[in-house]
Structure formats: C-alpha cells, structure tokens
Amino acid sequence: MSRSRRRQRKASRKPITISASSAASRPRTTLQSLNSDVLSAILDFLDRLDAIALASASRWIRRCCTHVHRLTIKGDYLPEDNDPGYFSVLAHLPSLSSVTFHYAFRGVPWMGVQACLKFPNITALSFTHTSQWLVPGRPEEYRWILDTLPAPGASGIPSRIPLTAFSYTTLVWRELREHSEAARFPHTATLAEEYAAEARGLAPLVPAMQDTAESLRLPLDTSPVQEMCEGYWPRLSDLSFRGSYPQSMPLSAMSTLLSRMPRLRNLSLEIAQPRSHSRAPIFGANAPKGCEYLPLRSLTVAYPDPDDAIFTSVGADLTRLSIRDWPRYYYPFRGEIDLKWSAPILSSSECLRLLTRMNVPHLRRLEVVYKVNGPDDDLLRHIATSYPDLEEFEIHRYRADNDKDEPPYVKPHRPPPCSAETPPPPSPQPRLRPPRAPARVSVRL
C-alpha cells in the first residue's frame, strides 16, 4: 500500500467535529423556535389549570403565558372548596381579553363574573351551553348558585360595563330536557328556576354594556329586552337572539330595539313561534323611524312574515340571507314540541314573494326553507337568475301535507349474525325518507 493511501485512510478515521457556529445553525425543536403568533394561538387553547401548569415549566414560558389573549375556565366551582384564589390567575394575564366558561355542570357562580369585570383588559365573556348560572338535572344542593346571583335592583353593580362581546348559549331542547329528567331526578331544579337565574344574571349585565358592546348572543326568553330598548347601542354590529318569545314581551319591542342600533351589520333571529301567534312580526307592515334603511351584511330569520317591512329595508350590501326554520322542522320528536310551538314554514309562493321584494344583487350565500304548494319552478328560476354572485345555496324543500306521493318510512333493521350453518340474509330494504324529512340540497357554486 502506498504511503499516500495510508495517509488517506488515517484521515478518514479522524472523528468529525462540529463547530459551535454549525450547531447554532441547526433548527431548534423547542417552543422557543415557534413564531410568536403561533405560540400565542397554542396558548389560547389552554384552560385555567393547563395555563398554570405550563407557566411553571420555565421563566421564559411564564413570560409567554402572560401574553395569552383567550382563556377557557373549565370545571365546577364548589362552595366547599373555599378557594379565594380560584380566579386569581386572571391578575397574572395582562393581555387577556376573552374568558369562556365551559363544562361548569354545577353552574357558574356570580363571583366568577365579578372577577372578570374587575380587569378592564377583559372585554369578552362567553358561556357555553354546558356552563350556565343554573343547570337543571342536578341535585338540590347545587342550587346555591341562586344565592350568589344579584337580586333585582341590588347595589354594587356598575352602571357601565366595558365589555365588547357577550355570549350566553343555551340548549335548543331544554324544554324537552326538563320533561325527560324530571322522572329520573324528582328534586332537580325546574325550567322556571333556570329562567329566573338567567334573568337575574343578564338583567344587570346586558344593559350596562350599551356604550361598548359590539357583539351580543343572547337567549330571548330571559334577556332584558325592555331595558335594552330604553338604551342606545352606538357600536353594536352583531346581534343574535335564540329561544322563544316571552309572554311579557310586546311584539313591537324588536322593531324598537333595532331602531336603536345604527351600526348593526349582522342580525340573526332564530326564534321559535308560539302557538298563540304565528310569524311574529319584526317591523310589521311599516318600518319604524330610523330603520327605513338597514345596511346589513347578514340576515337570518326563522319563520318570517313574507310581507314584513324588514325585507324591503335591507340594503344592497347584504351578502348572506337565511330564511329558515328553528328548531328544524324535520326533527323526529316534533310532536312534543308542537304542543307549545308552531312551525309556520313559508310556502313556495310566499318564499318567492319575499325574495322578489328584496334588492340584494350581491348575495353570496342563500338558505331557503319552504313547503311546496304548487310548482316551484318560478322560485328556483328567480334564484338562478337574480343573484349572479351566489357562491353557496342551501335549500330545504318539504312536500305538502296532503301529498300522497310521499314515500313511506321504512325503519332500518339489523340483520342476524351469520355463521357457517346459516347463510347471510338478503339485503334489507333501503331506508326511505321519513314523511317530514326535506329534500335538502346544499350547493357550492
């Protein structure tokens, strides 16, 4: 072997060394290598306990946790916990702007809301349907939440609350839930008690947000609509009501309320219609003063009156329109709901009359729910030719009640198990559409 080859072999055996500069150039796989916006988005998914646990990992992560913008408080607060620092984590999050209560099955105490209102940086509060002030179906001892709620006219509640967004979401079928759980839990909180708790909690909060509120999502059953009509909402742009009309609410209250919201852009009224009056008016035959023109971008109305003046008041800026049912008409237990609510779905001719009254050439998303009372070719032709910018079209088309061509409902069955001795059974009959199921078509253009 030549001397030059031996030198090459010795050189190849030398260990490879990496300089400090090359090691520093290698990508880091720690949280510090993440972009600040990505890290902030990850931290926003943490609840209260996870945020505390992560903050104790290192000083750098603790500084990052102070930049959390959204916080979800999960779990129940029990009176026997006697933990005055349960909500103390809010004081260590100066960038926090939104708080959501989730999975508080025993209810949310008023002290939790008060703790959030102490910090001016928190401008948004949300209650999911699993976290309310009083949840029926729970043992008697959980009603202590009622004692924490403020009494009507109680002192100590600020007259102005600087919240920009507030959401209180309730279950759609809580009336049915009360009947189903009353037999299993005879000593549970009733629906009337739940309504009373909501009214006591919403009454001091919602009217006090009128100067700063930009988005509201409320249950109409218990919202202080009369007090809201007395105020002025200069910044509100997003309003959503769900539930049913309370007996104490006059039918003209909705038009009065909307006339006090000059910057409203998104309106959603998913309200069940009581049997006492179907298709409750929003504006009625004439638009109130100040509502002759509504610069809405999105409008959702359940069981609308096709001759209501709100449809002629909407301007050409509307891009989303939903003429729908609420709750959905095709749910299988509608028989129990029909005892309390009505379902006055528009006919195809009424739906056509409603759409022809509107001037919305820039519509991009459209949802219509109607029941056929004759040929609906004119309605579909109007939709196809009047909205050139349409991108998404959803249609729920129900047959008439006296339509004899409706296919019967065949209940699906599970075939018996097969073995070596028994051959497989023939294929079962296909499941046909139940009598109330719509011919639903969702199209993205």
Side-chain angles (χ1 to χ4, degrees):
M1 182 180 295
S2 63
R3 185 175 301 177
S4 61
R5 283 188 179 181
R6 286 197 299 266
R7 290 177 181 176
Q8 291 178 358
R9 293 183 63 181
K10 288 182 180 179
S12 62
R13 294 175 185 174
K14 291 183 180 180
I16 299 176
T17 58
I18 301 177
S19 62
S21 59
S22 62
S25 63
R26 299 172 66 184
R28 295 175 295 177
T29 58
T30 61
L31 289 176
Q32 297 184 15
S33 62
L34 296 177
N35 184 275
S36 59
D37 295 336
V38 176
L39 181 61
S40 177
I42 295 175
L43 296 176
D44 287 341
F45 282 101
L46 302 180
D47 58 11
R48 183 184 66 91
L49 296 179
D50 293 337
I52 294 176
L54 183 62
S56 60
S58 68
R59 294 181 179 178
W60 179 83
I61 296 181
R62 189 178 303 116
R63 289 194 300 267
C64 293
C65 288
T66 60
H67 300 286
V68 172
H69 300 287
R70 295 186 297 270
L71 179 67
T72 300
I73 300 179
K74 296 181 180 179
D76 297 314
Y77 179 89
L78 300 179
E80 56 267 20
D81 291 342
N82 194 20
D83 183 11
Y86 186 85
F87 300 102
S88 60
V89 66
L90 303 177
H92 302 284
L93 303 175
S95 300
L96 185 64
S97 61
S98 176
V99 175
T100 300
F101 294 96
H102 192 44
Y103 288 136
F105 293 108
R106 296 184 175 96
V108 178
W110 180 254
M111 64 187 71
V113 179
Q114 287 180 315
C116 296
L117 297 180
K118 291 180 180 178
F119 302 96
N121 53 291
I122 299 178
T123 58
L125 283 182
S126 299
F127 292 75
T128 65
H129 69 275
T130 59
S131 300
Q132 301 169 12
W133 277 302
L134 186 65
V135 181
R138 297 298 162 184
E140 181 76 22
E141 59 266 18
Y142 298 157
R143 298 189 188 180
W144 67 274
I145 294 289
L146 284 175
D147 299 332
T148 67
L149 293 174
S155 59
I157 301 176
S159 58
R160 289 292 181 266
I161 296 176
L163 291 180
T164 60
F166 182 80
S167 174
Y168 191 89
T169 308
T170 59
L171 285 174
V172 180
W173 309 111
R174 54 180 175 179
E175 287 84 0
L176 298 182
R177 181 193 60 187
E178 180 191 28
H179 295 296
S180 62
E181 294 185 351
R184 298 170 54 194
F185 307 102
H187 301 291
T188 59
T190 62
L191 185 63
E193 289 178 314
E194 181 181 7
Y195 280 177
E198 286 182 9
R200 288 175 56 181
L202 294 175
L205 276 179
V206 178
M209 293 186 289
Q210 58 179 319
D211 293 340
T212 57
E214 300 176 1
S215 175
L216 290 178
R217 186 178 181 88
L218 301 170
L220 186 63
D221 315 71
T222 54
S223 295
V225 179
Q226 294 293 340
E227 290 77 5
M228 294 174 65
C229 291
E230 298 174 359
Y232 189 72
W233 305 79
R235 300 180 59 182
L236 190 66
S237 60
D238 190 350
L239 177 64
S240 176
F241 277 122
R242 268 193 172 188
S244 58
Y245 284 97
Q247 296 181 355
S248 59
M249 175 182 169
L251 297 180
S252 60
M254 190 61 65
S255 61
T256 304
L257 179 61
L258 296 180
S259 65
R260 297 180 173 272
M261 300 175 178
R263 298 187 61 182
L264 191 63
R265 297 297 180 268
N266 304 304
L267 176 62
S268 177
L269 301 176
E270 296 176 328
I271 305 172
Q273 302 296 316
R275 297 196 64 86
S276 57
H277 55 276
S278 62
R279 297 180 182 173
I282 303 174
F283 283 174
N286 300 309
K289 185 179 180 181
C291 292
E292 295 84 359
Y293 174 77
L294 293 178
L296 295 179
R297 302 290 180 86
S298 174
L299 175 63
T300 300
V301 183
Y303 304 119
D305 182 1
D307 299 320
D308 199 290
I310 189 175
F311 298 109
T312 55
S313 301
V314 174
D317 295 332
L318 192 74
T319 58
R320 298 171 63 92
L321 176 64
S322 177
I323 307 300
R324 55 164 298 171
D325 50 350
W326 194 91
R328 286 297 189 188
Y329 184 69
Y330 55 72
Y331 280 123
F333 38 82
R334 281 224 53 107
E336 304 176 40
I337 301 171
D338 290 342
L339 299 176
K340 181 179 180 181
W341 295 334
S342 62
I345 297 178
L346 292 177
S347 63
S348 55
S349 58
E350 290 175 330
C351 188
L352 176 61
R353 188 169 79 248
L354 186 152
L355 293 178
T356 52
R357 296 178 62 231
M358 303 182 68
N359 180 23
V360 284
H362 305 297
L363 204 62
R364 295 183 178 180
R365 187 191 185 280
L366 175 64
E367 178 188 6
V368 292
V369 178
Y370 65 91
K371 185 180 294 185
V372 177
N373 65 337
D376 54 351
D377 298 343
D378 293 339
L379 171 61
L380 299 178
R381 188 179 299 107
H382 172 80
I383 295 174
T385 57
S386 301
Y387 312 118
D389 298 336
L390 195 63
E391 299 174 355
E392 184 177 349
F393 175 42
E394 182 174 343
I395 174 176
H396 294 239
R397 181 181 183 272
Y398 291 92
R399 298 186 180 215
D401 293 334
N402 56 356
D403 194 342
K404 297 181 180 180
D405 296 332
E406 181 70 36
Y409 175 64
V410 179
K411 183 178 180 180
H413 64 277
R414 180 177 299 176
C418 301
S419 62
E421 291 79 13
T422 60
S427 301
Q429 295 181 356
R431 179 176 180 177
L432 300 180
R433 191 161 40 116
R436 251 179 171 169
R440 180 188 178 192
V441 179
S442 181
V443 181
R444 290 183 180 270
L445 305 177

